[in-house]
Amino acid sequence: MRTMPDATRDEAVITALVAALGEKAVLTGAERPARNASDWSTLGPQPALAVVRPTTTEAVAAAMRICAAHGVPVVPQGGLTGLCGGARPLPGAVALSLERMTGIEAIDPASATMTVWAGTPLQVVQEAADAAGFLIPLDLGARGSCAIGGNASTNAGGNRVIRYGMTREMILGLEVVLPDGGIVTTLNRMIKNNAGYDLKHLFIGSEGTLGVITRLVLRLFPKPACTLAALCALPDYASVVGLLAAARRGLGPMLSAFEVMWPDYWETIAMTPGVRVPLPHGHAVYCLIEAQGTDETFDAPRFEAWLEAQAEAGLLADAVLSRSLADVKTFWGVRDACSEFPQVLGPHEPFDIGLPVAAMDEYVRACKAALSQRLPGAFALFYGHIGDGNLHIVAGLKGASPQPKDVIQEVVYGLVREFGGTVSAEHGIGLTKKPWLGHVRSEAEIALMRRLKAAMDPNGVLNPGKVV
Amino acid sequence: MRTMPDATRDEAVITALVAALGEKAVLTGAERPARNASDWSTLGPQPALAVVRPTTTEAVAAAMRICAAHGVPVVPQGGLTGLCGGARPLPGAVALSLERMTGIEAIDPASATMTVWAGTPLQVVQEAADAAGFLIPLDLGARGSCAIGGNASTNAGGNRVIRYGMTREMILGLEVVLPDGGIVTTLNRMIKNNAGYDLKHLFIGSEGTLGVITRLVLRLFPKPACTLAALCALPDYASVVGLLAAARRGLGPMLSAFEVMWPDYWETIAMTPGVRVPLPHGHAVYCLIEAQGTDETFDAPRFEAWLEAQAEAGLLADAVLSRSLADVKTFWGVRDACSEFPQVLGPHEPFDIGLPVAAMDEYVRACKAALSQRLPGAFALFYGHIGDGNLHIVAGLKGASPQPKDVIQEVVYGLVREFGGTVSAEHGIGLTKKPWLGHVRSEAEIALMRRLKAAMDPNGVLNPGKVV
């Protein structure tokens, strides 16, 4: 890094960026949009030195080279919907926003692939696939705002990972700008390609710390012809594990979601205005099971027969079966009502942890007990994508301001370490979870991550201090 | 690297290995098994300085440290069934064989995972999964000999990639010994884990050049309840593309194989002793379609209805539907008869290329024409996993000895570059395909691979000169 005085350096880098990219691409001072100062984490705004909005991969590379030469850090930005601060500017850094690099470049129906610019909102990608007769199975609440490049750099999850995998599994090729401004184009369209190292995996899920994703080749999937769902009440967690195994066996790859809700969650949802709860409360645990079929004539009776067999096997205390897409929507309404929690519960801490499936219920009990002990009167609701080992928690102390965040995190993440889980199943590490990374990754693992970071970005120019 | 005289260095490294691992683990001179001198490539034997067979991860790490300290290269070995020389010893190198690190360590039915030692043969892994009520979908002809660690380090493919993905998609966690002897243990059992960089992808598919895989966590899949298949003759390649799209839509995730055979292949098979060909020859192209279902009551009529609809749509010239598992086996016999080619065709060159699906037939025609022009009288048979973009070719000049290997490779790989394909879909690069890597990967990509190699193995101790 150079050791120019900051103000001189800042002026020099902005002058060089304007010269290379044009005035419209470099926003400074009052021109900097407020939205580029933060993401959806609770860290609050941190304005960037400048917001740079290139329109080509070459311009991204030029911006990287200029910032690297001046020793000015760069923070890549997509839709800014991340929850861990990964895209939030660092003091004195340039925010490199991909928001003007949007659009579908090509669809190849025979290979079932789509080539797309990284700044394209997920919903636009989904709609383009749909118009071409295909499905993009990645789906999140933030679909209208999040960018597909950000989904890739955070390896986004969502509700249907059990069937389609994480974002990583949906990507065949990438174009990336490296921290030194080099461009690596690997827009592979083949499912099988073992010609040398598979470089894309370096950049997927590394939260913009190893390279800036500019273009992607996505796999397209066939559209399901029908969607079937059931909302079930179960007598105990052992039945959940049994039902999951039975769903894997009996529904096979049709199984597209297996969501579990513990009773505190269910009871809170039942009190939420506008949510219809199709099963009474008082049961030990609740599941939402969804299957996507290719032909309703065969798949609807099969799903019903499968559900009846589970009832006969004693795995279900109660259940409702969908008879229409409206029913499916109502069932998902119960699961998605968690988005109303800020209104219903007031301030709280949200978590996105992972655990081996067999250990989930024991974890839930241990976590509730430890929270009650450390914070008498605390609430904690548990729900998640159990088929993928992903548990969400919201916990807090009603009326407390500020919330006892540190204690809650200590309890939740301390037990995650004990149970062999992960502190981030799908949201990433960014800045907010960095203190907890050592809870679930060994010193040797973190040293190897740092070795990769140093190899790719020896001067620490790209999103420094994030993840590792 | 040290610059000790070779003989002194060799003696010193062997003495140190024996002291650390014991005499039984270090085979030298006439004790070195012939099998460890080569793999299934055509490169011929190259005996190692010593064959080291550790039984623990710590012993692998000790061996790596000792070899690194003496500047003696290490070549990791699994089942030695690779086709590109990746596991073949280098002159003066130590062969580090995982053959005594075998066995299933744990099966977790709730998370549907298996933890296994890297030297375990694939077939043993398959049988253990089967006994526990699960499926390991990875399957290759070499199943009895290949090791699961080798499958991971080469990212093996196989026949059912269209449904289950490559080996990469079946791995949740790895334990790896680094070139400096460090141990990185990431035995993750969760499908979703975004806590930091996903390090396993560095080692999967890098053919033992970045680390030695010692243990793996594999995903287990539900066993299919029924298997259905059809062998079809089609009027042209456009119908193949249409049939693939219809299979993706209509069979959805049941679709477990989509294999295509061009007429030369079919006619050669028809002359192969012991192979029954259930359709007459003379058609433009042939497909084998397989679907794995969860309930024969629903899935058999569905498969038949789907096939009838394709016939009505004019996509099929002729077809036979399986009525039993024996029929399915007969159909696969046609596809697998390529293993008899050495007997039927005599000497020839085999290829494992990848292409965008839409370009396949044009490639086949261009390749046949170019071969005929360069080598009048040459034969070339085309077949492969077309649903995955993977085309196999066997080509040669009957009676020629030696075969005009260089000309054939120039034609095949030259056109692969023109058509935007890959020189290795599933077999890897190893040594034999290294000269062609630059045909399908850019200078920037290869430079990045080298940067990774240098970061992980700065002294070039681990499998040097392979891949990059």
Side-chain angles (χ1 to χ4, degrees), chain A residues 120-463:
Chain A
T120 316
L122 173 58
Q123 194 171 338
V124 173
V125 175
Q126 290 172 336
E127 286 166 2
D130 188 71
F134 288 98
L135 174 76
I136 289 281
L138 178 64
D139 194 31
L140 321 171
R143 69 185 70 81
S145 314
C146 64
I148 189 70
N151 298 145
S153 73
T154 56
N155 187 29
N159 290 334
R160 293 188 176 88
V161 171
I162 196 169
R163 167 144 172 194
Y164 297 101
M166 304 284 278
T167 302
R168 184 184 297 279
E169 276 83 46
M170 303 171 195
I171 296 176
L172 292 176
L174 286 183
E175 179 180 73
V176 176
V177 173
L178 301 182
D180 61 10
I183 299 173
V184 180
T185 305
T186 313
L187 294 174
N188 167 62
R189 281 186 286 153
M190 290 158 289
I191 290 176
K192 291 165 104 164
N193 190 347
N194 274 345
Y197 303 164
D198 197 344
L199 299 170
K200 63 178 177 282
H201 294 293
L202 260 184
F203 305 103
I204 302 170
S206 54
E207 304 183 46
T209 61
L210 302 180
V212 182
I213 297 170
T214 51
R215 266 192 295 174
L216 307 91
V217 180
L218 303 173
R219 283 182 77 164
L220 297 173
F221 292 77
K223 280 194 227 184
C226 60
T227 302
L228 309 149
L231 206 52
C232 312
L234 285 84
D236 47 36
Y237 188 75
S239 303
V240 173
V241 175
L243 192 64
L244 175 60
R248 282 191 177 126
R249 263 197 319 271
L251 303 173
M254 282 173 60
L255 180 66
S256 51
F258 192 95
E259 305 284 314
V260 176
M261 295 154 274
W262 273 260
D264 286 354
Y265 176 94
W266 192 266
E267 281 148 31
T268 306
I269 290 300
M271 299 181 312
T272 304
V275 179
R276 189 162 72 77
V277 178
L279 286 173
H281 56 80
H283 289 288
V285 58
Y286 299 84
C287 289
L288 167 58
I289 300 171
E290 187 196 76
Q292 293 180 337
T294 51
D295 188 334
E296 192 150 15
T297 332
F298 296 103
D299 293 321
R302 171 211 301 255
F303 189 75
E304 188 164 352
W306 174 81
L307 196 67
E308 273 166 19
Q310 307 323 308
E312 277 164 32
L315 291 173
L316 307 178
D318 200 351
V320 262
L321 178 69
S322 69
R323 293 291 175 195
S324 65
L325 272 180
D327 286 349
V328 175
K329 224 174 148 183
T330 301
F331 296 175
W332 276 106
V334 175
R335 172 61 182 78
D336 292 338
C338 55
S339 62
E340 304 299 322
F341 281 169
Q343 283 72 50
V344 179
L345 297 171
H348 61 265
E349 279 300 300
F351 295 91
D352 159 49
I353 65 168
L355 290 164
V357 175
M360 290 255 178
D361 195 49
E362 200 185 330
Y363 176 91
V364 169
R365 278 181 281 123
C367 191
K368 284 175 83 87
L371 277 173
S372 294
Q373 202 194 349
R374 294 282 301 272
L375 295 168
F379 63 87
L381 317 184
F382 299 82
Y383 60 104
H385 321 295
I386 303 309
D388 318 322
N390 186 185
L391 185 67
H392 291 303
I393 308 172
V394 295
L397 193 59
K398 211 140 198 170
S401 178
Q403 284 285 306
K405 187 173 146 172
D406 293 349
V407 178
I408 298 175
Q409 288 186 345
E410 264 173 54
V411 168
V412 168
Y413 292 139
L415 285 165
V416 163
R417 172 158 62 179
E418 246 178 61
F419 279 79
T422 175
V423 297
S424 176
E426 56 184 10
H427 297 169
I429 295 296
L431 268 183
T432 58
K433 290 194 187 165
K434 226 178 113 181
W436 305 103
L437 186 62
H439 261 49
V440 290
R441 305 297 297 262
S442 65
E443 272 176 42
E445 290 176 280
I446 294 173
L448 181 51
M449 292 180 204
R450 292 213 173 107
R451 196 199 289 200
L452 287 173
K453 173 67 178 169
M456 299 294 294
D457 184 17
N459 298 318
V461 172
L462 189 60
N463 223 357

Side-chain angles (χ1 to χ4, degrees), chain B residues 164-187:
Chain B
Y164 297 101
M166 304 284 278
T167 302
R168 186 184 296 280
E169 275 83 46
M170 304 172 194
I171 296 176
L172 292 176
L174 287 182
E175 179 180 72
V176 177
V177 173
L178 301 182
D180 62 9
I183 299 172
V184 180
T185 304
T186 314
L187 294 174

